Amino acid sequence: MGLIGESMDSIKTLQIRSTLSQAATLGMIVASALMIWKGLICITGSSSPVVVVLSGSMEPGFKRGDILFLRMTKDLIRTGEIVVFNVDGKDIPIVHRVIEVHERQDNGEVDVLTKGDHNPKDDRFLYPYGQLWLQRHHIMGRAVGFLPYVGWVTIIMTEKPIVKYILIGVMALLFITSKE
Amino acid sequence: MHSYGYRANGVLSLSLTILALLCTVASLSGGILNLPPPSAHVEVVNINWFQKHRSGNDEVSLTLNISANLESLFTWNTKQIFVFLAAEYETPKNSLNQVSIWDGIIPSIEQAKFRINTINKYRLADQGNNLRGREFNLTLHWHVMPRTGKMFADKIVMTGYRMPHEYV
């Protein structure tokens, strides 16, 4: 009786210890991913350093599923730059090209007009009613580089959430059953 | 150490790393061909009309003859070149006004040397009525969009253009 009780106890502590160490490893992985993401935000100066292209409005340059690397510097905004901006009230960022800039003499404020390369008209129809221009604070970053196709993973996971759940389920299963 | 899973994992990680390295090298390698540097010339063939709208803003319509040679910018990593012509001028109210009046996409080196006669694709309107007699530059900008990697841009500034002194 005493022996069985003792071995039961030691099995339990072993299992508790390995579970705890697995949880700690998982926590470390999540924490380092978060650190890398926040670090990128600091280095690039943009609140979303990587975006996925969601629409075809910049074709044939950027197609749906490409990812764009953004940087935000204090440099003045000039025509031709590809900028990412948020329209007030909507939280999907839009990636289009600046086609018009008017910069004030007195305070350096800018009025900016954008247009998608593939769209026939400029973006005034996207801005809120009555707003003719974008200001500097609407702009979250400039596109400086890109990788094709890599963003499809994000698009599939957002538009078909079942894939996301299956993926997480499979990863969790592998994690629990793996021996390290 | 020798299960299928481990081997597949090893092969996948190595191939992804090599692919990333290849992409980086591709984006760094530039053109080595002996082509003349980019050149451009724009002529304002005609001022079609120049009016002040009821809103108080001046607007002008121009016919332009744009010719350029951008062949030396094409490398094997170039997907396309986005080229646009911007009118740039200063007014008492604005230290800088840049308005894109024409743009185009050059998908391959065969079309990189071109001449086009066109009216302005986008409207050239001021914030106000400051365009009469105004001096302006026409700048041809180009953005090289790579198949993968860093995008870069440059321009040629052509000076010496002037708006008419009176509305037409």
Side-chain angles (χ1 to χ4, degrees):
Chain A
M1 275 307 183
L3 273 174
I4 294 176
E6 272 178 32
S7 38
M8 284 284 289
D9 280 333
S10 67
I11 290 174
K12 265 194 225 154
T13 32
L14 270 177
Q15 282 195 333
I16 290 176
R17 201 186 267 179
S18 80
T19 316
L20 278 178
S21 87
Q22 276 188 339
T25 316
L26 186 63
M28 287 276 288
I29 294 176
V30 171
S32 21
L34 200 61
M35 282 197 297
I36 293 177
W37 181 249
K38 292 291 179 192
L40 266 182
I41 291 181
C42 272
I43 294 174
T44 61
S46 158
S47 58
S48 54
V50 180
V51 291
V52 177
V53 176
L54 293 173
S55 76
S57 57
M58 284 292 283
E59 292 196 8
F62 301 141
K63 295 192 166 53
R64 207 167 119 83
D66 295 342
I67 63 172
L68 293 176
F69 299 102
L70 307 180
R71 276 202 73 186
M72 192 64 199
T73 64
K74 287 208 173 18
D75 293 342
L76 308 162
I77 302 187
R78 293 286 174 255
T79 44
E81 296 179 343
I82 298 175
V83 295
V84 177
F85 61 93
N86 260 340
V87 173
D88 292 331
K90 307 198 183 125
D91 59 2
I92 300 184
I94 304 178
V95 186
H96 281 171
R97 196 182 294 271
V98 173
I99 62 166
E100 222 174 293
V101 169
H102 296 278
E103 185 178 310
R104 299 251 184 297
Q105 293 268 17
D106 44 11
N107 55 10
E109 297 276 325
V110 279
D111 285 336
V112 166
L113 180 62
T114 58
K115 174 181 172 293
D117 289 349
H118 201 63
N119 291 347
K121 295 219 155 288
D122 58 42
D123 287 345
R124 288 223 163 97
F125 69 97
L126 289 174
Y127 305 160
Y129 183 72
Q131 181 181 334
L132 291 175
W133 310 96
L134 288 179
Q135 264 73 52
R136 215 207 150 85
H137 66 87
H138 290 111
I139 297 191
M140 298 187 328
R142 290 182 190 82
V144 293
F146 99 117
L147 274 183
Y149 308 123
V150 180
W152 270 113
V153 177
T154 315
I155 291 185
I156 292 174
M157 296 223 280
T158 316
E159 298 190 354
K160 298 198 165 35
I162 188 94
V163 175
K164 188 164 46 170
Y165 297 134
I166 293 179
L167 215 59
I168 293 184
V170 165
M171 285 207 294
L173 206 63
L174 283 174
F175 188 73
I176 294 173
T177 58
S178 79
K179 292 208 177 67
E180 22 234 323
Chain B
M1 226 356 120
H2 300 295
S3 73
Y4 285 114
Y6 275 118
R7 285 174 178 161
N9 187 23
V11 168
L12 191 64
S13 324
L14 189 64
S15 54
L16 280 179
T17 314
I18 292 182
L19 197 62
L21 274 173
L22 277 179
C23 283
T24 318
V25 170
S27 67
L28 289 175
S29 69
I32 326 173
L33 300 170
N34 279 330
L35 289 166
S39 63
H41 181 73
V42 177
E43 186 194 333
V44 177
V45 172
N46 190 32
I47 306 271
N48 304 326
W49 49 264
F50 179 22
Q51 289 295 315
K52 173 168 116 164
H53 294 303
R54 261 190 315 175
S55 60
N57 295 334
D58 281 348
E59 187 179 332
V60 63
S61 164
L62 316 152
T63 302
L64 306 154
N65 189 312
I66 307 170
S67 61
N69 183 344
L70 301 176
E71 286 174 337
S72 60
L73 298 168
F74 271 90
T75 74
W76 58 290
N77 191 27
T78 305
K79 179 157 68 173
Q80 67 179 36
I81 295 188
F82 184 88
V83 61
F84 68 97
L85 187 70
E88 297 175 5
Y89 59 94
E90 183 180 343
T91 59
K93 180 175 154 207
N94 290 337
S95 56
L96 174 68
N97 299 281
Q98 281 181 326
V99 182
S100 167
I101 55 178
W102 173 83
D103 59 30
I105 289 179
I106 305 179
S108 66
I109 193 170
E110 287 82 25
Q111 289 152 44
K113 187 169 172 187
F114 63 92
R115 172 183 293 271
I116 177 173
N117 221 27
T118 174
I119 67 164
N120 48 308
K121 193 169 170 187
Y122 304 116
R123 303 170 59 174
L124 177 47
D126 187 31
Q127 286 184 331
N129 57 348
N130 305 300
L131 284 185
R132 274 167 296 173
R134 182 70 53 196
E135 264 185 45
F136 63 101
N137 293 343
L138 285 175
T139 308
L140 190 75
H141 297 251
W142 57 85
H143 274 61
V144 178
M145 295 164 92
R147 293 192 208 281
T148 171
K150 187 163 166 23
M151 303 186 285
F152 57 98
D154 206 348
K155 61 188 181 187
I156 291 181
V157 182
M158 292 159 276
T159 61
Y161 303 93
R162 190 187 278 277
M163 298 284 183
H165 287 275
E166 292 304 323
Y167 294 126
V168 167

